[in-house]
Amino acid sequence: MSDTPFGFGLPPEEPENGDEGKKKDPAGGGQGSGGQGGDPFGFGGLPGMGGPGGPGGADNPFAAMFGSLNPQDLGAAFQQLGQMLSYEGGPVNWDMAKQIARQVVAQGTPDGVKDASVGQADKAAVEEAVRLADLWLDEATSLPSGANTAVAWSRAEWVEATLPAWQQLVDPVAERVGTAMGDVLPQEMQAMAGPLIGMMRSMGGAMFGQQIGQAVGALAGEVVGSTDVGLPLGPAGRAALLPLNVEAFGKDLGVPAEEVRLYLALREAAHQRLFAHVPWLRSHLFGAVEGYARGIKVDTSKLEEAVGQLDPTHPEQLQEALQQGMFQPEDTPEQKAALARLETALALVEGWVDAVVHEAAKSRLTSADALRETLRRRRATGGPAEQTFATLIGLELRPRRLRDAARLWASLTDARGTDGRDALWEHPDMLPTATDLDDPDGFVHREHLDFSELDKMLGEAAKGDAPEDGDGKE
């Protein structure tokens, strides 16, 4: 999945055709239930629409698209097509993304497990696990609880709750790609082709919406909480677990279900503490993603060539062209710095959570070591979360140096104690750098500026310079 950047690819395991139970035919551009494969603009997702090889033959693309429609589906098909072409919002049609993500969730995961509403027993179990996790974390970190509430989500509820964060992450990249799609016409023709450019951007928004919806829907079948990728995807202060996915995660581990749920609750609650009490961290991480997106270079010459040679009866040609390195990051010092900043930040977040959770769990859960290693491998080898981000924004949000960062945080705990370790989160300039991960001992024993004292001094100086009030009193 990570080989097809910027949302034009497919989730690693797309839903099967509901009628035939067959996967798409790569050669023939056949469609799954979501309308992917050789249909980059998403027409295959409309009710009853077939691919280029459908009824009517390749000589008549309209018959190929509409020939298999049942009469009762015709109105719905044209309604969706009209919504697609009339879309005038941002670079991604998020209404379509949400609709398709919900459809993917409703179809169930490849192992046949369907989504379901969370029952009272599961809700109570999650609330109790998060409550107990917070008690244990009180001894492992100086950061207070960051979870105002604990919730148990279904997969559909995860989609609804995380879409705003996805929008913030994906829009910067989609904006650049959408602009490029509108710029493929020669300059002298653009003034006369306003409606065509508008249609292309509407189609681009629909295309992104379709692919993002597919990816988010597939990811909803895998994630166990709201912070699986090291970013706060859910609402602030809300620790969330997905009981259905937690059960699937622990199914073959040979670990009691209660321990699996509690260990995952520890990780979720630790993330919540960090994001709640390090106010600059969220904007730092999302800003690093946006900074990376600004360095994306779109090869418009390849896009022009693909559009110019496009055979309307074989739209899969555009899909193939889009997968051949058309959208690449610029190899500039600024882009390298943006990538290094993001990867280091992710490693520090995941490494801190790893170290704190291990400290809280090692004497209480017999399976703590095994669960720790399982989660480390899941993150470091590029699980579904990392693959989804790689497809949507061309960037692998993988904490490549998670183990290095966890060792550094553990060494800091030994050398400076819990308070000294956690105090480094007070200012981004106090955090370890990528170089420090190479030399953790040097960082641990190095003197650091205390920004809290500096802020205090600056605050007192500002008070001393304050003007007198109306009564002439200070």
Side-chain angles (χ1 to χ4, degrees), residues 105-129:
V105 166
Q107 290 166 358
T109 49
D111 59 3
V113 177
K114 300 284 188 178
D115 192 23
S117 299
V118 180
Q120 289 299 321
D122 282 330
K123 290 180 180 179
V126 168
E127 291 174 358
E128 176 60 20

Side-chain angles (χ1 to χ4, degrees), residues 84-113:
M84 183 185 300
L85 295 178
S86 63
Y87 175 71
E88 297 179 352
V92 177
N93 188 330
W94 287 102
D95 290 338
M96 176 173 289
K98 177 180 175 180
Q99 177 184 356
I100 291 178
R102 293 293 299 264
Q103 290 173 354
V104 172
V105 166
Q107 290 166 358
T109 49
D111 59 3
V113 177

Side-chain angles (χ1 to χ4, degrees), residues 295-358:
I296 291 170
K297 178 174 59 178
V298 181
D299 190 340
T300 55
S301 64
K302 287 187 178 181
L303 187 57
E304 290 175 10
E305 182 181 355
V307 173
Q309 298 180 358
L310 180 63
D311 181 351
T313 64
H314 294 87
E316 69 272 10
Q317 294 174 355
L318 180 58
Q319 176 82 359
E320 295 170 357
L322 293 172
Q323 296 176 5
Q324 295 175 359
M326 192 171 295
F327 309 109
Q328 298 292 340
E330 293 188 42
D331 189 19
T332 63
E334 294 79 11
Q335 187 70 346
K336 291 179 180 178
L339 179 59
R341 184 167 61 251
L342 178 58
E343 288 185 338
T344 301
L346 286 169
L348 292 175
V349 168
E350 291 293 280
W352 184 88
V353 169
D354 179 274
V356 168
V357 168
H358 183 67

Side-chain angles (χ1 to χ4, degrees), residues 118 122-123 125-127 129-131 133-134 146-155 157-159 161-162 223-228 231-246 260-273:
V118 180
D122 282 330
K123 290 180 180 179
V126 168
E127 291 174 358
V130 173
R131 185 195 66 79
D134 259 336
N148 301 323
T149 57
V151 294
W153 282 341
S154 66
R155 293 165 178 169
E157 288 171 327
W158 181 89
V159 168
T162 62
V223 294
V224 295
S226 70
T227 56
D228 287 43
L231 296 173
L233 295 179
R238 190 172 299 175
L241 292 179
L242 284 70
L244 194 61
N245 294 354
V246 170
V260 173
R261 181 170 54 245
L262 187 48
Y263 193 87
L264 296 176
L266 280 165
R267 288 183 54 84
E268 177 75 9
H271 277 103
Q272 294 294 335
R273 288 184 181 227

Side-chain angles (χ1 to χ4, degrees), residues 226-447:
S226 70
T227 56
D228 287 43
V229 298
L231 296 173
L233 295 179
R238 190 172 299 175
L241 292 179
L242 284 70
L244 194 61
N245 294 354
V246 170
E247 180 182 355
F249 172 82
K251 183 178 179 181
D252 298 321
L253 297 181
V255 176
E258 294 77 10
E259 289 201 18
V260 173
R261 181 170 54 245
L262 187 48
Y263 193 87
L264 296 176
L266 280 165
R267 288 183 54 84
E268 177 75 9
H271 277 103
Q272 294 294 335
R273 288 184 181 227
L274 196 57
F275 290 120
H277 299 292
V278 182
W280 54 265
L281 183 56
R282 178 187 174 93
S283 60
H284 179 75
L285 289 168
F286 280 75
V289 174
E290 186 172 353
Y292 184 85
R294 284 196 297 268
I296 291 170
K297 178 174 59 178
V298 181
D299 190 340
T300 55
S301 64
K302 287 187 178 181
L303 187 57
E304 290 175 10
E305 182 181 355
V307 173
Q309 298 180 358
L310 180 63
D311 181 351
T313 64
H314 294 87
E316 69 272 10
Q317 294 174 355
L318 180 58
Q319 176 82 359
E320 295 170 357
L322 293 172
Q323 296 176 5
Q324 295 175 359
M326 192 171 295
F327 309 109
Q328 298 292 340
E330 293 188 42
D331 189 19
T332 63
E334 294 79 11
Q335 187 70 346
K336 291 179 180 178
L339 179 59
R341 184 167 61 251
L342 178 58
E343 288 185 338
T344 301
L346 286 169
L348 292 175
V349 168
E350 291 293 280
W352 184 88
V353 169
D354 179 274
V356 168
V357 168
H358 183 67
E359 181 66 24
K362 64 182 181 181
S363 62
R364 296 181 172 98
L365 296 179
T366 58
S367 57
D369 289 337
L371 289 169
R372 183 190 201 188
E373 186 61 25
T374 299
L375 267 299
R376 279 182 167 187
R377 291 180 179 178
R378 175 181 165 110
R379 289 295 284 123
T381 58
E386 175 268 323
Q387 292 173 358
T388 298
F389 273 104
T391 296
L392 296 181
I393 62 177
L395 176 64
E396 294 179 349
L397 290 184
R398 183 190 307 177
R400 301 176 188 276
R401 307 196 64 181
L402 184 152
R403 295 176 187 270
D404 294 336
R407 280 194 293 268
L408 187 147
W409 288 118
S411 297
L412 283 168
T413 306
D414 294 338
R416 304 185 188 184
T418 298
D419 291 345
R421 177 201 65 199
D422 294 345
L424 293 178
W425 290 105
E426 291 178 1
H427 194 281
D429 290 344
M430 297 176 65
L431 287 177
T433 64
T435 302
D436 294 323
L437 293 180
D438 296 328
D439 181 22
D441 290 337
F443 178 85
V444 168
H445 299 292
R446 188 186 313 154
E447 292 295 328

